[in-house]
Structure formats: structure tokens, C-alpha cells
Amino acid sequence: MLVNGRHYRTIWIDERNELCVIDQTVLPHEFRIVRLHTPAEVCRAISSMVVRGAGLIGATAGYGMWLAAAQAPEDRPFTLWMTECAASLIATRPTASNLAWAVERQRNLLASLGPELRKTDAVALLRAEADRIADEDAEFCRSIGQHGGELITAISRRKSGETVHVLTHCNAGWLAFVDYGSALSPVYAAFDAGVDVHVWVDETRPRNQGASLTAWELGRHGVRHDVIADNAGGHLMQHGMVDLVITGADRVTRCGDAANKIGTYLKALAAADNNVPFYVALPSSTFDFSLCDGVRDIPIEERDGEEVRRIRGVNRAGAAEHVLLCPEFSPARNWAFDVTPGRLITGLITERGICAASEEGVLGLYPEHAGRCSA
């Protein structure tokens, strides 16, 4: 994506060999680059949501393993140090599948190299693998855009070129991945092909990733959009103002159940009641092929209640501040995700194509993962 005339990925290594990310906690009012130097800084960046989104935290964790190897102390066993760093990275965000997947991919690489591996060799190999993880994420999301863009184009043809209205929830665009995004990649692909597309952007309380991030990147790309209150989606569907819903996901089971930002399940229910197609877009790294029952088995992160009680914005003087929304004495609970059962999902848009949100559909695209269910 172009920012101030320059193309950026969401994570990269600069000319000083330093790991750089975009601080998503200050968008859309400030564009700030943060450099991460240690595995502890990577953990803090993920847990504090300086970086967020399924694909991006996976790529960030992959680079975190590289930094861990580079800074392994001489007075501690290398394998033990890497095991501890891996555990710390995985613990930062429990719901997203991509994070643990990337860490385990790096650990498996180390294990395959045997006990005589030198630290200098490990650093180089982990850096190269982290680059591959990031490049794959970008390429997979580009492919998701091609497959999903065909859905939007088909609707445009049926409507004789009239505007196609897409509703999305949270941010599953370029900012949530290394490039392109998942749910927004089809929008960008259709828009770039000349389709008249408009996006309804859920604000996505409590962290407002829709209002802050999705709206920002859609505007940068030139896509027409409107920010709406989270509870407005059902009303729009009732009145024929939504042609399809596309969301991202943080973990999807082999049977098609999808964990995504809290509130996604309610949009799926409204879509089903109004015969609006509901799609989930994801790269294969987001699948958890070991699980089938998402409602029962996917761990749901509960974050600090202060995210619900307070909201961040810019005041009339142009200064960023947090303000209290509720009575000072009122506590808040803050579940970050919910699970949409596969029966409510029209299809899954992946880098390999579109499939039904069912075990048969998923394994039809990914037959190499048959026989891995833990239930």
C-alpha cells in the first residue's frame, strides 16, 4: 500500500538490518514506524497490539524467533533459550492460529538441523525462514483477492454495473497481514479491475479497528466507504443495502467454524436471516486442522476491561487522549473474539480457491491435512 507516496509492507527489515513495523495503536491520526530489537520487544508489540491481525502477528512471531536466536546468551543452553522464547511468543495472543503456526514452523526448522547446529547458522536460517513466512503471507493474500474479487465482479454483472455493497467487520486488510489483506483483498482486486464497490465499515468496538484502520486503508486506496455503528449491519441487510459480507478470521477449524473479532457471529446471524452471502477470507496458516468444534475448542482471549470502559481519539486541539465512557465504578468484561459456526458461512475464500465451510469442503482444498482432527 502507498503511504505518503511510498509502498509499505506492514513488517520489513531496513537497511540497518533492524525489524520495522507500523504502530497500529496510533493510526489513523499518526503514521509511526517502530523498530523491534529483542524478542521481549516483539512480545510486547504483539500483546499491546502495536501489530495485530492474524497474518501479521504470525509473521512478526517468525521474525521474533530470528531475534531470539541472534540474542541468545552465551551462558545458557541455546535450545532451552529458544524454547522459552517460543513459549513467550505463543502466550501473547492465544486465539490466532497464525502465531503459534509461525513459531512452530521456526522450531521445526531448528529441530531438523540437529544438535550440532551453530548459533550463527541458526540465525541465518531463521532469518531466511521468517522472510519466507512473510512473503508467503503476502502472496497468499494476493491470491485470496483474485478468488474473492471474482465474487464481487459476478455480483456487479448481475446488478448491471450498479454499486456492489460489501459489509466487513474489524480490520482484515493490508494492516492485518504483510500485504493485501484477507477480507479486503477481494475488495481491492475488484476495485482495481474497475468494479464500482462500496464498503460498509463496522466501527468494531471496543478497539475500533474498523473505524480506525479499515477506513484509513480504504481511503488510502480510494475505495468508497462509510463507517457505521456495529449494530447497524442488521438494519442495512433488512433493507437490501448489503450485497455480501466478507470478514477475516483468526482461527478456522477443519469443519469451517471461524473465530473472528467479537460481533462477527451476530453479523452472520443477520446475514442468514436476510439471505445475504457471508464469506470468511483466510490464508491456510489460519486453519487449525486439529480442531473441529470451534465453539467448544477455540480458546477465546479476554482482554483488559479498560478497553471497553475507555475510548481513544483526537480532541479538537488535535491531541490524542483516552476518555471514560461509563460510570467510574462500573466494571467491564472484554471478550475479544467469538466463533461463527460453519453452517452460517456461505464459503471460505482461501489462496487455493473458495470452498464450503465444512470438513468436506476444507479437506477438498487441503487433502494433505486429512486425519489430523483431535476430537
Side-chain angles (χ1 to χ4, degrees):
M1 175 172 285
L2 288 177
V3 180
N4 301 325
R6 173 183 167 184
H7 178 265
Y8 284 89
R9 282 184 168 189
T10 54
I11 187 167
W12 69 98
I13 295 175
D14 69 6
E15 64 281 356
R16 295 184 292 183
N17 205 37
E18 293 183 324
L19 182 64
C20 301
V21 297
I22 297 166
D23 185 351
Q24 299 194 29
T25 65
V26 298
L27 287 172
H29 308 295
E30 179 183 354
F31 183 77
R32 178 193 300 167
I33 295 172
V34 174
R35 288 174 169 81
L36 306 175
H37 303 97
T38 68
E41 288 180 356
V42 171
C43 287
R44 283 194 294 272
I46 296 172
S47 61
S48 67
M49 298 182 73
V50 168
V51 295
R52 31 82 38 213
L56 177 54
I57 63 175
T60 305
Y63 282 113
M65 291 290 284
W66 162 59
L67 291 177
Q71 298 178 15
E74 297 296 335
D75 60 346
R76 296 194 60 194
F78 180 71
T79 301
L80 178 60
W81 165 262
M82 294 302 296
T83 298
E84 291 175 352
C85 289
S88 295
L89 285 164
I90 291 173
T92 55
R93 301 293 304 275
T95 299
S97 179
N98 306 62
L99 192 159
W101 167 85
V103 172
E104 289 304 313
R105 178 165 163 174
Q106 292 284 49
R107 291 188 67 186
N108 290 338
L109 173 64
L110 286 177
S112 70
L113 299 171
E116 303 303 319
L117 176 70
R118 294 182 302 174
K119 174 183 170 180
T120 53
D121 294 333
V123 171
L125 291 167
L126 291 171
R127 160 67 190 274
E129 190 69 8
D131 287 341
R132 279 190 287 271
I133 290 170
D135 290 344
E136 286 175 13
D137 184 79
E139 177 58 25
F140 285 0
C141 286
R142 187 192 65 81
S143 296
I144 287 169
Q146 291 181 326
H147 296 303
E150 294 173 1
L151 292 172
I152 298 174
T153 300
I155 293 173
S156 175
R157 292 196 191 100
R158 290 199 297 270
K159 297 182 70 174
S160 300
E162 292 183 7
T163 303
V164 179
H165 296 280
V166 179
L167 185 145
T168 192
H169 188 68
C170 197
N171 174 261
W174 165 74
L175 287 166
F177 292 83
V178 175
D179 212 342
Y180 299 100
S182 60
L184 292 187
S185 189
V187 172
Y188 294 140
F191 176 84
D192 291 345
V195 175
D196 183 4
V197 59
H198 165 267
V199 182
W200 297 112
V201 179
D202 281 354
E203 58 183 342
T204 324
R205 288 279 296 142
R207 292 190 64 93
N208 301 294
Q209 296 99 321
S212 296
L213 304 179
T214 296
W216 182 79
E217 62 171 274
L218 286 171
R220 290 280 175 176
H221 204 84
V223 179
R224 289 193 299 128
H225 62 280
D226 289 282
V227 177
I228 59 173
D230 283 347
N231 291 330
H235 167 77
L236 297 178
M237 293 183 213
Q238 282 182 327
H239 291 271
M241 299 170 70
V242 178
D243 293 301
L244 78 163
V245 181
I246 309 178
T247 75
D250 290 85
R251 186 182 302 211
V252 176
T253 71
R254 67 190 286 121
C255 296
D257 299 341
N260 193 49
K261 186 59 57 181
I262 194 77
T264 304
Y265 173 48
L266 295 179
K267 293 296 158 51
L269 288 171
D273 192 51
N274 291 280
N275 296 313
V276 174
F278 183 98
Y279 287 90
V280 173
L282 70 152
S284 53
S285 54
T286 301
F287 280 110
D288 186 337
F289 293 101
S290 70
L291 300 182
C292 193
D293 189 332
V295 175
R296 182 190 66 192
D297 295 330
I298 294 178
I300 299 299
E301 175 185 359
E302 184 173 0
R303 296 181 60 83
D304 190 344
E306 286 301 298
E307 292 181 351
V308 175
R309 286 165 38 84
R310 299 179 185 274
I311 193 168
R312 181 186 183 276
V314 172
N315 61 27
R316 291 183 178 180
E321 62 180 354
H322 286 82
V323 297
L324 182 67
L325 293 172
C326 62
E328 182 63 50
F329 54 78
S330 295
R333 300 290 297 273
N334 184 17
W335 290 275
F337 305 93
D338 58 26
V339 175
T340 299
R343 60 183 169 79
L344 296 175
I345 299 172
T346 306
L348 304 174
I349 309 171
T350 80
E351 78 274 6
R352 294 188 182 180
I354 301 173
C355 68
S358 65
E359 186 169 27
E360 181 180 15
V362 171
L363 295 182
L365 283 184
Y366 300 93
E368 67 271 25
H369 293 285
R372 292 184 55 192
C373 186
S374 63

